Amino acid sequence: MLRGVRRTILAVTGFLLLLAVAGPPATAHDPDTPEGRAEQAEMLRIYQPTWRSGELLAGAPITCVNGMADKYPCKNVDLLSFLPQSALGGGGSSSMWYWTDTRDSNEYILYCRSNGVSFVNVTDPSNPRYLGNLPSSNGVSSSWCDVRTYKNYAYIGKDSVSHGIQIFNLNKLQGVTTPQTFTADARFTGLTNSHTLQINQNTGFLYVSGANTCSKGLTIYNIKTPLTLTLAGCYSREVYSHESIVVNYAGPDTRYTGREIAFNYTGQGKRFQILDVTNKSNIVVLSSVTHPGASFIHQGFATSDYKHMIVNDETISTASGSPDFVYNIEKLDAARYVGRDNGTRGTFVNHNGYTVGNRHFQASYRGGLRILDTTNAASASLPEVGYFDVDPSSNASGYSGSWMALPYLKNGVVAVQSIGVGLFLVRPTGTAAVS
């Protein structure tokens, strides 16, 4: 039994686990294919016995002891709280993002669901509070939802449905004490669907990947006036842009210091690219590279010194481990593949990863949260120093489990999403903590 932990049992009605995937091409994990529906049914079979009660955990940390935190396999990661999907508005779930209110320093998770976006106050990570739901535009539902923030505004897009981009003023969350149904402040209809969103906070540009615009390439909008999106540029030279991470560059290649650089991942295009997007009407390809056996180059994130890029390939899993692919990016116009770290962690599929300090935090579907040490990235060595497994039933390949893990909350807290299951707040300890 847990000590010092308050358990509240919430009834779950109409619970449905919706699988989420990355990319519009029909693949074996697309829920709209026969294969996807079969996998969805299997995940329902696995999760229903465990989650039918809709158990909410809150009140005190649950320490990782002897490889377990309650029923969850772990290493150097403690569980702070869990909110089930039923307490977050129901439906399925995919991406999420975070926001800090500069007026009072309160922290929020924006939890993207198939039928809306949930807002959760996580200022006290042991007692998160659900504040309410912003329903999807026109009531549409999609397994693919993405959300990002700029200043005090949230931007929400959905794939495979006519949704546009909702814009929501996050200042409305201050002082909310009981769950609300919110309304969007604006809706942009210059596109119908989008797969992923990225915003450069320093320049006020929104980068949209996998939309119905720009041949599914990278569509760029000026959002300096937050409720208005103005088309600024288009990069359509690849078959697809699945995701881009965009920064004002401050790495070792001083030729590009201060320029706006996009690290672009082309999915089935099998390319990792470095683009100079400073001039939106003349986007320059600095590097376009790949790795042996590339299948679906999904997403990646640089080491903190911007010397290396850690890339995940979403449709690759092997019996010997779950690979990450490392590129040298010390010269932006001469990026080169270094090698792969196969890991020995399981055959699960790696998904979104983000780096803080010398730790890379990766959402790995059935593997849950995995934390890798980037110290020796130059030799493609990324040893695992911690994990929290949101899917105790299996570490096999498949597209249930964790889609997103965000390591950006205060005091080392990491938000970990589990598809259709709920939101975990955890804290790495010991060698898994950022140093």
Side-chain angles (χ1 to χ4, degrees):
M1 299 296 291
L2 301 175
R3 295 183 178 180
V5 177
R6 173 174 54 85
R7 285 188 169 192
T8 304
I9 305 301
L10 303 174
V12 177
T13 58
F15 175 83
L16 176 62
L17 176 63
L18 293 177
L19 290 179
V21 341
T27 67
H29 58 277
D30 187 329
D32 293 325
T33 64
E35 296 90 347
R37 286 190 290 272
E39 185 170 10
Q40 178 178 335
E42 174 63 9
M43 288 303 99
L44 279 169
R45 184 190 68 78
I46 291 171
Y47 278 108
Q48 274 188 339
T50 302
W51 294 105
R52 191 172 287 138
S53 61
E55 184 178 61
L56 179 149
L57 300 178
I62 304 170
T63 304
C64 178
V65 177
N66 297 324
M68 298 294 290
D70 191 26
K71 56 189 160 189
Y72 304 102
C74 60
K75 176 182 178 181
N76 294 327
V77 180
D78 294 340
L79 173 60
L80 302 180
S81 60
F82 168 71
L83 281 176
Q85 194 78 13
S86 59
L88 291 164
S93 55
S94 50
S95 184
M96 62 180 176
W97 204 242
Y98 67 100
W99 179 68
T100 301
D101 191 336
T102 57
R103 299 170 299 176
D104 55 17
S105 297
N106 278 345
E107 292 186 302
Y108 300 87
I109 288 293
L110 286 54
Y111 187 85
C112 226
R113 305 178 353 270
S114 57
N115 52 355
V117 172
S118 303
F119 302 102
V120 185
N121 186 318
V122 296
T123 310
D124 177 359
S126 293
N127 291 283
R129 294 189 295 111
Y130 169 68
L131 303 182
N133 171 50
L134 173 64
S136 301
S137 296
N138 298 329
V140 299
S141 180
S142 171
S143 297
W144 303 280
C145 170
D146 206 16
V147 56
R148 291 296 187 272
T149 62
Y150 176 66
K151 296 183 177 179
N152 57 296
Y153 290 90
Y155 297 79
I156 303 111
K158 287 185 181 294
D159 204 351
S160 300
V161 292
S162 183
H163 180 270
I165 294 178
Q166 291 174 299
I167 308 170
F168 177 73
N169 187 344
L170 293 163
N171 284 340
K172 294 178 180 178
L173 301 180
Q174 190 176 50
V176 174
T177 57
T178 57
Q180 309 287 314
T181 298
F182 297 101
T183 56
D185 292 271
R187 180 186 175 213
F188 176 70
T189 58
L191 54 76
T192 57
N193 62 282
S194 57
H195 191 66
T196 56
L197 310 178
Q198 190 66 220
I199 296 175
N200 186 341
Q201 303 294 321
N202 295 314
T203 61
F205 286 97
L206 166 68
Y207 293 81
V208 182
S209 293
N212 66 303
T213 53
C214 197
S215 301
K216 298 186 178 179
L218 191 61
T219 310
I220 307 169
Y221 295 97
N222 184 327
I223 58 170
K224 293 172 186 175
T225 302
L227 293 179
T228 303
L229 275 63
T230 304
L231 183 65
C234 165
Y235 174 74
S236 59
R237 298 179 213 173
E238 299 298 317
V239 296
Y240 180 57
S241 172
H242 179 268
E243 186 157 348
S244 282
I245 304 294
V246 186
V247 300
N248 278 34
Y249 184 73
D253 195 342
T254 55
R255 296 173 297 167
Y256 297 95
T257 298
R259 296 189 69 81
E260 195 167 12
I261 301 297
F263 300 100
N264 190 43
Y265 310 90
T266 68
Q268 70 270 31
K270 303 179 183 180
R271 310 296 292 179
F272 157 56
Q273 298 184 312
I274 302 177
L275 311 176
D276 186 338
V277 295
T278 308
N279 182 348
K280 309 298 183 290
S281 62
N282 183 30
I283 294 172
V284 178
V285 181
L286 301 179
S287 291
S288 185
V289 290
T290 191
H291 50 258
S295 178
F296 192 96
I297 295 183
H298 171 264
Q299 185 259 6
F301 210 82
T303 54
S304 294
D305 58 9
Y306 272 89
K307 291 182 178 180
H308 296 90
M309 180 67 64
I310 301 169
V311 173
N312 49 76
D313 194 318
E314 193 184 15
T315 56
I316 292 180
S317 64
T318 69
S320 61
S322 303
D324 288 289
F325 301 87
V326 181
Y327 293 80
N328 182 296
I329 58 170
E330 290 180 84
K331 291 186 179 299
L332 295 185
D333 58 355
R336 57 184 174 84
Y337 173 65
V338 172
R340 62 189 278 170
D341 181 295
N342 280 323
T344 56
R345 305 179 287 274
T347 60
F348 51 77
V349 177
N350 293 328
H351 200 240
N352 290 12
Y354 299 96
T355 304
V356 176
N358 60 354
R359 297 291 180 260
H360 185 70
F361 297 82
Q362 194 165 62
S364 298
Y365 283 113
R366 286 179 173 173
L369 166 69
R370 319 306 287 202
I371 305 174
L372 311 179
D373 184 347
T374 66
T375 304
N376 295 313
S379 58
S381 175
L382 303 167
E384 184 176 84
V385 292
Y387 62 82
F388 185 86
D389 192 347
V390 300
D391 182 355
S393 67
S394 172
N395 274 346
S397 62
Y399 298 91
S400 62
S402 185
W403 168 294
M404 177 78 84
L406 294 176
Y408 299 122
L409 301 177
K410 289 182 292 189
N411 301 316
V413 174
V414 180
V416 184
Q417 171 269 2
S418 185
I419 299 168
V421 173
L423 173 66
F424 296 83
L425 296 175
V426 303
R427 180 180 284 122
T429 64
T431 57
V434 174
S435 60

